[in-house]
């Protein structure tokens, strides 16, 4: 296992480098089992692989930003500051890395063709910061177990722990639009899940076989 930490000056460079790789934010799409047991890969996983192949052979599609996504981008720094304060970190300290500042960070395992970037990295843990719509935040306020988190975020955090060598991630949901400050912040500890990581890696290997078959066919 050779995991590399790369930093890119622009988002375009970061996006181009990720072309063709299976990323933490989308890795859940490979995890479903095929309904047809004679197949190695599910239809949903095939769709994701085809998207990765297209990203190698054609220019990347422009990013789409909804109003809720814009709100998340604008609110995330405040959420990160709140997380830092709660855990006793200086956001500008050497032991606190907010990966959206100072270049675009990307951890990748080129042999497996996977990569990802946690929102925050500290010496002891990663953090995944979400600033969702208020109704979604309400759902997170009621979650107390890592297994009850959305499967896509659980998979994202597990793969990012694999890539960064951490054994703990804090899932943070933040929404300061709530009337009471006690409802602004929710934090859930997510621990490293070795069997789940093994499942991810096995699915990635199968997906790589399919990706290589497609690329060979399209040459």
């Amino acid at each position: 296992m050779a995991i590399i930490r790369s930093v890119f000056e622009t988002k375009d460079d970061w996006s181009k480098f990720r072309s063709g790789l299976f990323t933490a934010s989308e890795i859940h799409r490979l995890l479903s089992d095929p309904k047809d047991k004679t197949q190695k890969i599910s239809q949903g996983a095939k769709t994701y692989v085809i998207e990765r192949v297209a990203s190698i052979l054609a220019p990347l599609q422009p990013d789409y930003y909804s109003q809720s996504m814009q709100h998340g981008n604008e609110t995330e720094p405040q959420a990160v500051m709140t997380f830092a304060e709660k855990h006793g970190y200086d956001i500008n300290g050497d032991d606190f890395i907010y990966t959206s500042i100072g270049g675009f960070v990307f951890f990748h395992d080129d042999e497996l063709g996977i990569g990802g970037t946690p929102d925050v990295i500290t010496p002891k843990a990663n953090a995944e910061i979400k600033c969702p719509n208020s109704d979604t935040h309400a759902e997170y306020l009621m979650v107390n177990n890592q297994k009850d988190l959305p499967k896509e975020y659980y998979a994202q955090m597990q793969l990012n722990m694999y890539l960064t060598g951490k054994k703990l991630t804090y899932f943070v949901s933040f929404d300061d639009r709530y009337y009471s400050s006690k409802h602004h912040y929710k934090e859930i500890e997510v621990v490293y899940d070795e069997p789940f990581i093994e499942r991810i890696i096995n699915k990635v290997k199968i997906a790589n076989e399919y990706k290589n078959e497609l690329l060979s066919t399209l040459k």
Side-chain angles (χ1 to χ4, degrees), residues 32-126:
S32 59
D33 293 323
K35 293 180 180 178
D36 182 350
K37 299 306 179 184
T38 65
Q39 299 293 313
K40 289 185 177 181
I41 187 169
S42 70
Q43 190 58 50
K46 285 183 177 180
T47 298
Y48 181 37
V49 174
I50 291 169
E51 290 173 11
R52 294 295 83 204
V53 168
S55 73
I56 295 172
L57 302 177
L60 297 172
Q61 297 295 315
D63 288 333
Y64 166 75
Y65 285 99
S66 65
Q67 185 175 357
S68 61
M69 292 170 68
Q70 184 66 31
H71 167 77
N73 289 337
E74 293 173 353
T75 309
E76 185 180 273
Q78 179 60 42
V80 171
M81 289 182 64
T82 303
F83 171 80
E85 290 172 1
K86 285 184 175 292
H87 289 269
Y89 288 106
D90 177 354
I91 196 170
N92 297 311
D94 293 337
D95 58 350
F96 190 92
I97 301 172
Y98 178 24
T99 57
S100 293
I101 294 177
F104 294 86
V105 179
F106 190 63
F107 293 85
H108 50 102
D109 182 331
D110 294 337
E111 183 177 346
L112 284 174
I114 55 175
T117 307
D119 291 322
V120 171
I121 304 171
T122 72
K124 295 181 179 180
N126 296 333

Side-chain angles (χ1 to χ4, degrees), residues 133-145:
N133 293 329
S134 295
D135 52 350
T136 302
H137 182 68
E139 295 177 8
Y140 296 152
L141 288 174
M142 294 181 281
V143 172
N144 293 304
N145 187 297

Side-chain angles (χ1 to χ4, degrees), residues 199-214:
R199 183 181 171 209
I200 288 176
I201 292 173
N202 287 334
K203 293 289 188 179
V204 165
K205 289 178 178 178
I206 295 171
N208 276 319
E209 290 178 6
Y210 184 58
K211 183 176 76 172
N212 291 334
E213 288 175 10
L214 293 179

